Amino acid sequence: MNWEETPDERDFRHEVRAFARERFPVGYGPDPEAEHSLEPEDVWGYDWPADRLSRDPARRAGARAWAAALAERGWIAPGWPVEYGGAGLSAMREFILREEMMRAGVPTVNGIGAMLLGPTLLEYGTEEQRAAHLPGIARGETTWAQGFSEPGAGSDLASLRTRAVCAGPGSGSYLVNGQKVWTSSAQYADWLFVLVRTDPEAPKHKGITFLLIDASSPGVAIRPVQDMRGATPFAEIFFDDVSVPVANRVGAENQGWYVAMAALGFERAGIGATVKFEQVLSRLVGCLRSEKEPGCPGRDTAVLRHEIAQRYIELRTQYNLARHTASQLEAVGIPGHEASVSQLFGAELHQRLARTGAKAFGPYAQLWQRDGAPMEAAFAHMRFDAVAATLLGGTTEIQRRVIATRGLKLPKS
Amino acid sequence: MVDLTPTEEQRHIQAAAADLLAARSREAGARAVRAEPAGYSAELWKEMTGLGWPGLALPEEYGGADGGFLELCLLFEELGRHQVPSPLLTTMACAALPIARHGSAAQRAQWLRAVAQGRTLSYVRAAPRGDWNATGSDVVAEPAGQGFRLHGTALFVPYAGTADALLVIARTGGPEELTALLVDNAPPGVRCERLDVVGNDPHYRVDFTAVTVPGERAVGAVGSGRTVAGTAAELGAAATCAEMAGGAQGVLDMTVGHARRREQFGRPIGSFQAVQHHCANMAVDVLGSRLGAYESIWRLSQGLPATMEVSLAKAWGSEAYQRVCALGHQVHGAIGFTYEHDLHFFHRHAVASALAFGDADHHIARVTRYLGL
């Protein structure tokens, strides 16, 4: 057991810190209006996939310059092999990199492509697919969205109905029809990776295929979906006779379910949320301690102080769970069910923390406007962001089932 | 490299301890020793001493194995997992290791050697009403010749009935001036009366009546008792966290086993979503408390500041263990409510260890102060 970083790891941490300080583009600041991202790894005030296409030239240039700076080091896809544009970092270094990026308050670039699609192609893709797609992701030039969910499927993902049929014998392409929903940042994506049904007669897990689809293909329509906050972090996608080359199939036909499960198994280290929560809690503590901070009428009661200390203890527990996942990844290459423990705990902590924080401001906790609100209404917003925490990436009920059946080996229902 | 899992050697210690305790839990576990006057199996203690357990974390020069506090805590974890009551924690964490840190060369030579050979010690933190939030001591040490004369009463002293000596935190001046004294646990003047308590570890009320203690029995300088008590409390709390994590793991294992075997409506109850969710919640608490315990123990074993980490591990672990027991009972149903079933020994242990060395509220209050709130 070793809970302290080695000098090498500490040096790496300093290197990342210095890099973020020196290379983050001047002028690429947080957007006070941004309320797009629900991903725990994302930094408040930034939405990189949207910023990259922003109509504001300074924001657009900043987002692109930041991607280019990270790409130089292979830090968009830090765990990938160097030949595809990654940095070949170990799980623990990748953990340190993400932690320091969060601490520096700089946005993640190409998260879905780098963290989900990349490892999937490295494991199941053809050499042509890797060569065609990985370098673009690692350079921050092409962004991806994951089209798994469907309106009728939800947690029963395998019941998806989007159809793909071979256009004709020897045609070399599939014809895709159907609809996806809840696809994060789909409206900004260049490419989509989706699950489609190719054998309607087969048992539901066995008739699914994994396809890569160019978002600009004729017949693809993407429409943002507004959430309860008024933001549009995701979209629905309609496929109307979309032609997809067979060469864009990952894995064998009807084997897509297993490819997708592997993709979902490439769990994130999950450090982002912890740092984000820690930062906002530390602001809250500062706010309660300072009598002079304007616009910060905190309700400093013994009960509240006790509750904040509990949240702090839970945060440190969450940090341990996340570090433990990285440590396991480093030791055995795959995360165990403990990764689900970390995800589940973090999601519920998000909601507890939001309620505790909002409580500190009494009637001011209802201010949605950031201007003139204590702590720029951070907790008022967080309370609504957190509603999705126990749903996104699979509901916490599904996480519990994973822990029970895969981790504790309880019989499947 | 940061690596939060036990090393090969640590796993070896864990496995060896688990094997021994699994084999002996029938005759030396909480159920078996409930009627024993000592409250633990003297035979198993002999065996543990023969295997070098009390000496594991003591220096070689005193007959120890020069292992660390972390390795010692792996034993506590297994003792908790198998619910085997033992004076090891009290002896080591609350007396021997504080003597190793604060005692004179002569005290170390005498007492650490004795402990490595199987003598047991207990820790008398005579805070008013046994309250971990209280300062001061209900035992007063008056100057008498070259030494002291003790008067007073202490509550909730574990394993005091059989301990060879007691490390007593006594008042030597005003209410705040404390001194740690090593007192022979032999009448006259020392009276140990066993209390009827919820937990599995025997607890005593200890009365001191005009007990003469030579001056060289002071551990650390006269007046430095708060420091010694601080060490005992910190190591004791951390060791208890290991024991609680082990206990919680024991409850999870027992519950998952039951859920796989027990059938209702023609299916194992473990296939029901409601039961699966209870078990998953238990797994979250078990892993969270184990990692918290290890973090604080690792820091202590490295000599790093750990006050904060110990408090958060104890606050979190105390509550988590009780939640795990509650869900364990829920999954077991009525069978778990019987005396015949072992689950209640874990529940007893959870209640008692949550209170030992300060409950969750006590430690949350410390975290509050640490945060500057």
Side-chain angles (χ1 to χ4, degrees):
Chain A
M1 241 181 271
N2 178 23
W3 289 72
E4 194 153 73
E5 279 158 12
T6 56
D8 268 8
E9 287 166 333
R10 259 200 307 277
D11 287 349
F12 181 67
R13 197 178 272 286
H14 290 300
E15 184 189 333
V16 177
R17 224 175 271 175
F19 176 86
R21 199 171 49 235
E22 286 155 20
R23 300 296 305 275
F24 194 68
V26 178
Y28 182 24
D31 176 359
E33 302 301 314
E35 197 91 59
H36 293 287
S37 179
L38 283 170
E39 299 295 321
E41 302 282 328
D42 287 333
V43 177
W44 275 315
Y46 291 99
D47 183 9
W48 185 82
D51 295 348
R52 172 180 165 267
L53 303 174
S54 171
R55 272 194 291 267
D56 171 358
R59 175 156 294 276
R60 194 170 64 234
R64 292 181 180 201
W66 176 229
L70 284 170
E72 267 176 45
R73 303 254 181 148
W75 283 358
I76 288 178
W80 297 4
V82 176
E83 55 177 308
Y84 298 114
L89 293 189
S90 68
M92 193 47 79
R93 288 198 175 220
E94 185 166 350
F95 179 87
I96 293 170
L97 174 72
R98 297 207 180 282
E99 182 181 346
E100 286 305 322
M101 292 292 182
M102 276 311 282
R103 292 199 188 284
V106 297
T108 309
V109 165
N110 254 359
I112 292 178
M115 290 188 256
L116 282 174
L117 181 68
T120 307
L121 288 189
L122 286 168
E123 184 82 21
Y124 293 96
T126 62
E127 190 44 51
E128 289 72 22
Q129 288 168 346
R130 290 181 205 141
H133 299 298
L134 296 185
I137 296 171
R139 285 194 300 265
E141 287 163 5
T142 39
T143 61
W144 286 74
Q146 178 223 60
F148 286 1
S149 299
E150 294 193 6
S155 292
D156 185 12
L157 183 56
S159 69
L160 59 89
R161 287 199 298 247
T162 295
R163 289 283 307 274
V165 290
C166 258
S171 77
S173 62
Y174 289 100
L175 214 51
V176 178
N177 280 285
Q179 186 195 347
K180 297 287 175 181
V181 74
W182 317 130
T183 308
S184 296
S185 297
Q187 61 271 48
Y188 311 110
D190 304 305
W191 280 81
L192 314 164
F193 55 101
V194 301
L195 290 179
V196 295
R197 185 160 303 283
T198 35
D199 183 356
E201 306 304 321
K204 62 183 185 176
H205 292 89
K206 298 189 191 284
I208 293 171
T209 298
F210 191 113
L211 293 179
L212 310 177
I213 302 181
D214 186 337
S216 62
S217 309
V220 175
I222 300 178
R223 206 179 70 188
V225 176
Q226 197 174 58
D227 68 20
M228 62 188 262
R229 303 166 302 172
T232 50
F234 35 60
E236 51 188 348
I237 308 172
F238 301 89
F239 300 101
D240 181 13
D241 279 342
V242 177
S243 172
V244 178
V246 169
N248 285 4
R249 186 183 72 211
V250 181
E253 188 169 282
N254 297 329
Q255 292 298 304
W257 178 255
Y258 307 97
V259 177
M261 287 305 104
L264 294 178
F266 299 115
E267 302 269 4
R268 298 175 182 196
I271 182 55
T274 315
V275 175
K276 190 150 90 176
F277 299 164
E278 204 181 276
Q279 285 167 335
V280 77
L281 191 75
S282 126
R283 276 191 70 194
L284 175 64
V285 169
C287 195
L288 293 179
R289 284 171 63 181
S290 83
E291 284 161 18
K292 293 190 204 94
E293 188 167 329
C296 205
R299 286 204 304 187
D300 188 1
T301 63
V303 172
L304 180 69
R305 289 197 296 272
H306 190 92
E307 200 173 307
I308 289 171
Q310 276 183 299
R311 297 295 92 82
Y312 178 78
I313 290 168
E314 290 161 359
L315 264 172
R316 293 278 302 257
T317 303
Q318 171 62 22
Y319 184 72
N320 274 341
L321 292 171
R323 260 199 309 182
H324 183 247
T325 303
S327 159
Q328 272 192 317
L329 264 175
E330 179 107 16
V332 286
I334 47 161
H337 75 282
E338 291 88 347
S340 293
V341 170
S342 180
Q343 204 166 342
L344 165 61
F345 186 76
E348 295 188 340
L349 173 55
H350 193 171
Q351 294 174 345
R352 287 195 294 276
L353 181 61
R355 282 198 299 271
T356 298
K359 208 185 259 188
F361 298 106
Y364 293 85
Q366 66 194 307
L367 284 179
W368 184 258
Q369 58 175 69
R370 295 192 184 268
D371 203 22
M375 275 184 72
E376 293 90 45
F379 282 103
H381 286 246
M382 191 186 195
R383 195 153 50 169
F384 285 92
D385 298 343
V387 169
T390 48
L391 313 172
L392 63 91
T395 61
T396 39
E397 285 75 17
I398 294 291
Q399 300 295 347
R400 285 188 167 89
R401 193 168 72 170
V402 168
I403 294 167
T405 56
R406 287 190 225 157
L408 304 174
K409 310 276 182 256
L410 285 170
K412 293 219 164 84
S413 44
Chain B
M1 194 188 80
V2 172
D3 180 5
L4 309 192
T5 53
T7 61
E8 196 66 39
E9 194 199 336
Q10 288 160 352
R11 267 200 294 271
H12 180 74
I13 293 172
Q14 269 175 333
D19 285 350
L20 177 76
L21 297 173
R24 297 290 180 277
S25 62
R26 221 183 143 74
E27 64 264 29
R31 177 181 298 277
V33 301
R34 212 159 162 72
E36 293 258 347
Y40 67 100
S41 159
E43 265 159 56
L44 179 63
W45 178 255
K46 247 182 247 159
E47 202 171 347
M48 282 160 53
T49 304
L51 291 168
W53 286 21
L56 181 61
L58 295 175
E60 268 176 23
E61 53 178 318
Y62 307 125
D66 228 358
F69 182 59
L70 175 58
E71 283 69 26
L72 177 65
C73 284
L74 297 175
L75 301 180
F76 301 141
E77 189 182 353
E78 292 306 317
L79 285 164
R81 191 151 81 94
H82 294 88
Q83 280 310 300
V84 173
S86 155
L88 189 67
L89 192 154
T90 307
T91 298
M92 294 308 304
C94 304
L97 294 177
I99 291 169
R101 190 181 298 180
H102 304 288
S104 66
Q107 286 168 346
R108 289 201 300 270
Q110 180 187 350
W111 292 100
L112 302 188
R113 200 178 302 280
V115 164
Q117 288 167 356
R119 307 279 294 277
T120 65
L121 305 173
S122 186
Y123 172 57
V124 182
R125 181 187 171 277
R129 296 174 308 282
D131 178 3
W132 285 89
N133 288 309
T135 51
S137 176
D138 279 349
V139 175
V140 178
E142 297 163 349
Q146 297 297 305
F148 305 92
R149 191 178 300 118
L150 295 191
H151 287 283
T153 295
L155 284 173
F156 307 117
V157 185
Y159 295 95
T162 47
D164 294 295
L166 310 168
L167 182 65
V168 182
I169 307 297
R171 251 164 67 187
T172 43
E176 296 296 303
E177 196 205 285
L178 302 174
T179 300
L181 299 169
L182 253 170
V183 181
D184 280 327
N185 188 15
V190 183
R191 186 165 156 268
C192 298
E193 186 192 335
R194 188 156 169 184
L195 302 168
D196 190 6
V197 291
V198 168
N200 305 317
D201 292 322
H203 276 68
Y204 294 80
R205 168 195 161 113
V206 183
D207 293 304
F208 299 94
T209 314
V211 178
T212 306
V213 182
E216 70 266 17
R217 287 300 190 89
V219 176
V222 171
S224 71
R226 284 170 77 91
T227 310
V228 181
T231 301
E234 194 159 74
L235 297 181
T240 302
C241 288
E243 205 180 76
M244 293 194 299
Q249 181 71 56
V251 175
L252 176 61
D253 293 344
M254 181 184 271
T255 305
V256 166
H258 178 76
R260 284 200 203 119
R261 284 188 308 270
R262 170 73 171 159
E263 291 191 4
Q264 291 276 266
F265 310 105
R267 285 155 51 184
I269 60 168
S271 69
F272 299 134
Q273 223 167 49
V275 171
Q276 292 186 347
H277 288 189
H278 287 331
C279 293
N281 289 339
M282 293 166 79
V284 172
D285 276 337
V286 169
L287 184 62
S289 45
R290 184 189 306 124
L291 293 174
Y294 283 172
E295 183 179 23
S296 66
I297 290 162
W298 182 85
R299 291 186 68 86
L300 288 169
S301 69
Q302 298 293 307
L304 296 167
T307 311
M308 173 69 195
E309 285 76 13
V310 169
S311 275
L312 73 89
K314 187 64 175 58
W316 166 261
S318 299
E319 296 291 301
Y321 190 9
Q322 294 184 83
R323 285 194 296 266
V324 165
C325 286
L327 290 176
H329 276 292
Q330 187 63 26
V331 173
H332 275 85
I335 189 71
F337 188 59
T338 61
Y339 187 81
E340 186 184 287
H341 201 282
D342 280 348
L343 186 55
H344 67 99
F345 290 106
F346 287 89
H347 194 160
R348 291 172 186 286
H349 180 244
V351 170
S353 49
L355 295 170
F357 304 101
D359 66 2
D361 281 0
H362 171 79
H363 286 283
I364 290 168
R366 286 164 62 103
V367 172
T368 312
R369 288 197 291 278
Y370 173 89
L371 293 175
L373 276 166

